[in-house]
Amino acid sequence: GECSGHDGGIAPLSNPGSYCILSCHVLQESLLSSASGYRNYRGILNWCVVMLVSARFMILGTYGILVDPIQVVSLFLKDPYSWPALCLVIVSNVFIMAALYTERRLSVGTISETTGTFLHFVNLTTLLCFPSATVLTLTSMTPVGGVFALGVFTILFLKLYSYKDVNMWCREIRHSNARTLTRSQSCPSVARSNGSAVHAHVSYPGNLTHRDIYYFVLAPTLCYELNFPRSPRIRKSFLLRRLFEMVRSTWMVPTIQNSMKPFQDMDFSRMMERMLKLAVPNHLIWLIFFYWFFHSSMNFVAELLQFGDREFYRDWWNSETVTYFWSNWNIPVHKWCLRHFYQPIMRRGVSKWVARTAVFLLSAFFHEYLVSVPLKMFRLWAFMGMMAQIPLAWFVSRFLRGNYGNAAVWISLIIGQPVAVLMYFHDYYVLHYVPQS
């Protein structure tokens, strides 16, 4: 039977009692690549208007913009020659091997599904707890190193969770269909003749190899498949352009020394003025990071690995609702949440509102995990900021439409996210650099 769809998960075939795994990857270019043919940038106009209005709060003579990638980072670095974060990342290979060998035992029936589920649970739980405990207890671990290490472990957690799920689906299909899962069943959407390179078709359990799992670990995706769409060749000119963008992208860092006067020494109006003046340059930093990471860096890695699905983001700049923004600015995370969290919850009979709230809770947890643990201070700004998106999403979708909704999304990005970052930065500065009376 024919199996189609791009959301991932299991779907029934036309033959009664037969199932297949839907692919969540297709061969495609990123929107900001010239080859994509995308031209709808109407949301950028609204961004320009909002930025012009907001710019009045930014006094360049006092807070100016400097091209200095070290200024903020150097505040956190205590010993640039100590690299405990790198050692922590190397240790992550233990968890990768644990997932692979657990799946190998499950594929041959050496251990039961219950035992395998327990082993995966222990592996994934330790994957989150071990690095955070190390960051909190190791005095030589800097905040920058902690963010890097925990970021790697968080990505690995999501990848290995997907790896566990897909291999479990393969075993379920193998048992229900009573035959080996072929490529046409596991990844039908990439079986078309689309100019992709000829790669060996993998079927379960032939995918349980070191080469396969490390390709997935390095690939710019969080959702595992037995056969990913592959590009026909490595385009050297494309690779060099992305590398050039990665190197030349410099951080536009606001001069912030004057802004770090403790908030408790200011009245409310002065505090709000200070935060608004820093919102615009902080927003520019976020935009530069987005382009550097989601377009330049991820396309660079994808080109090296001949990974064909380059949809790392969609047209989030045209978002007229907060929900549309969160569903389109980070496609790898969105696909993972949809495939491995939202849809499984929905299949249990939970309402859409509860499922969406659960997704925001999960996202809020990881946002706080990636900020509070490296800084070794728990303020919950990131968690509260993410949970505040729920009432904001309801308000925008109910009362604002079109350009007004798009402008509201831009305002929330310009004011909301930078303010949360500033609050952490301020608290960290006060805690470590302001003499205690």
Side-chain angles (χ1 to χ4, degrees):
E2 183 67 19
C3 179
S4 61
H6 307 297
D7 292 331
I10 297 179
L13 290 168
S14 56
N15 300 326
S18 298
Y19 297 88
C20 66
I21 298 177
L22 298 177
S23 172
C24 62
H25 297 97
V26 295
L27 187 66
Q28 57 188 322
E29 296 286 348
S30 297
L31 289 186
L32 295 179
S33 295
S34 57
S36 70
Y38 182 81
R39 296 293 180 270
N40 185 7
Y41 300 102
R42 59 185 175 81
I44 302 299
L45 178 61
N46 290 320
W47 173 78
C48 292
V49 173
V50 172
M51 288 292 285
L52 285 172
V53 174
S54 302
R56 65 183 296 270
F57 295 106
M58 183 176 65
I59 304 177
L60 292 176
T62 304
Y63 296 97
I65 294 180
L66 300 178
V67 180
D68 183 3
I70 305 301
Q71 181 180 0
V72 173
V73 174
S74 63
L75 178 64
F76 297 110
L77 292 176
K78 299 176 182 178
D79 184 4
Y81 300 102
S82 178
W83 300 99
L86 182 59
C87 298
L88 197 57
V89 170
I90 293 174
V91 173
S92 67
N93 287 279
V94 173
F95 300 96
I96 298 173
M97 289 298 98
L100 174 61
Y101 285 100
T102 298
E103 284 302 328
R104 283 185 173 181
R105 296 295 177 269
L106 285 166
S107 68
V108 296
T110 304
I111 59 177
S112 65
E113 287 291 334
T114 302
T115 303
T117 300
F118 174 75
L119 291 176
H120 277 304
F121 173 79
V122 172
N123 188 46
L124 292 171
T125 303
T126 309
L127 183 59
L128 289 181
C129 295
F130 169 72
S132 59
T134 303
V135 169
L136 289 172
T137 57
L138 200 62
T139 56
S140 60
M141 181 72 73
T142 65
V144 172
V147 170
F148 171 73
L150 291 184
V152 170
F153 273 82
T154 299
I155 291 172
L156 190 58
F157 171 86
L158 299 175
K159 283 176 177 278
L160 294 185
Y161 191 97
S162 179
Y163 187 76
K164 169 194 74 73
D165 268 3
V166 173
N167 282 295
M168 178 185 66
W169 296 340
C170 288
R171 288 191 299 277
E172 291 175 355
I173 293 172
R174 183 174 62 175
H175 295 154
S176 63
N177 292 0
R179 62 177 181 268
T180 302
L181 183 65
T182 63
R183 183 176 188 267
S184 62
Q185 292 171 314
S186 63
C187 294
S189 63
V190 301
R192 300 188 299 266
S193 176
N194 50 17
S196 62
V198 177
H199 295 277
H201 299 172
V202 179
S203 59
Y204 185 82
N207 63 307
L208 303 178
T209 64
H210 294 87
R211 179 185 179 90
D212 179 87
I213 193 171
Y214 274 103
Y215 179 88
F216 171 54
V217 167
L218 296 174
T221 181
L222 299 176
C223 292
Y224 178 69
E225 288 186 3
L226 276 69
N227 297 275
F228 290 105
R230 306 291 288 272
S231 55
R233 60 185 177 84
I234 298 177
R235 299 167 293 179
K236 294 182 176 60
S237 59
F238 181 90
L239 199 66
L240 290 174
R241 285 198 301 272
R242 300 292 82 80
L243 179 61
F244 177 71
E245 290 172 354
M246 291 166 61
V247 173
R248 78 173 181 177
S249 293
T250 55
W251 291 93
M252 299 177 66
V253 180
T255 55
I256 55 178
Q257 288 90 344
N258 294 336
S259 70
M260 286 300 103
K261 182 181 179 181
F263 285 158
Q264 60 262 30
D265 296 340
M266 308 180 190
D267 57 31
F268 181 76
S269 60
R270 182 66 174 170
M271 180 174 65
M272 292 303 298
E273 177 193 12
R274 187 61 52 86
M275 294 176 66
L276 288 172
K277 285 176 180 177
L278 289 171
V280 171
N282 272 280
H283 176 64
L284 294 177
I285 292 174
W286 182 82
L287 287 177
I288 292 171
F289 171 79
F290 168 81
Y291 188 86
W292 176 83
F293 185 78
F294 285 95
H295 186 72
S296 301
S297 300
M298 295 187 76
N299 268 291
F300 180 82
V301 174
E303 193 68 25
L304 277 179
L305 298 176
Q306 293 181 262
F307 184 81
D309 188 357
R310 309 297 176 86
E311 189 184 41
F312 307 126
Y313 53 87
R314 297 187 187 124
D315 61 336
W316 58 265
W317 47 85
N318 292 329
S319 301
E320 296 180 0
T321 64
V322 174
T323 303
Y324 186 88
F325 167 79
W326 286 108
S327 299
N328 290 275
W329 91 277
N330 187 338
I331 294 302
V333 169
H334 171 69
K335 284 183 177 179
W336 188 93
C337 289
L338 185 66
R339 189 192 201 198
H340 298 287
F341 194 73
Y342 180 80
Q343 289 179 342
I345 291 178
M346 290 292 292
R347 285 195 289 268
R348 293 177 180 269
V350 176
S351 67
K352 285 187 177 181
W353 187 89
V354 173
R356 288 174 180 171
T357 303
V359 171
F360 272 106
L361 277 170
L362 181 69
S363 179
F365 164 78
F366 278 113
H367 276 77
E368 194 63 43
Y369 174 82
L370 291 171
V371 178
S372 288
V373 175
L375 293 179
K376 300 179 183 179
M377 61 179 196
F378 299 92
R379 297 294 190 270
L380 297 179
W381 298 119
F383 186 89
M384 291 188 294
M386 280 301 303
M387 295 312 296
Q389 299 296 306
I390 297 176
L392 177 63
W394 174 84
F395 177 82
V396 173
S397 63
R398 185 175 180 86
F399 297 105
L400 301 175
R401 292 288 187 274
N403 288 336
Y404 295 104
N406 184 247
V409 172
W410 278 115
I411 292 172
S412 71
L413 293 177
I414 295 172
I415 302 299
Q417 294 178 3
V419 165
V421 173
L422 177 62
M423 295 300 290
Y424 280 107
F425 193 96
H426 169 271
D427 290 352
Y428 186 88
Y429 184 90
V430 171
L431 188 63
H432 293 83
Y433 293 91
V434 175
Q436 301 297 320
S437 57

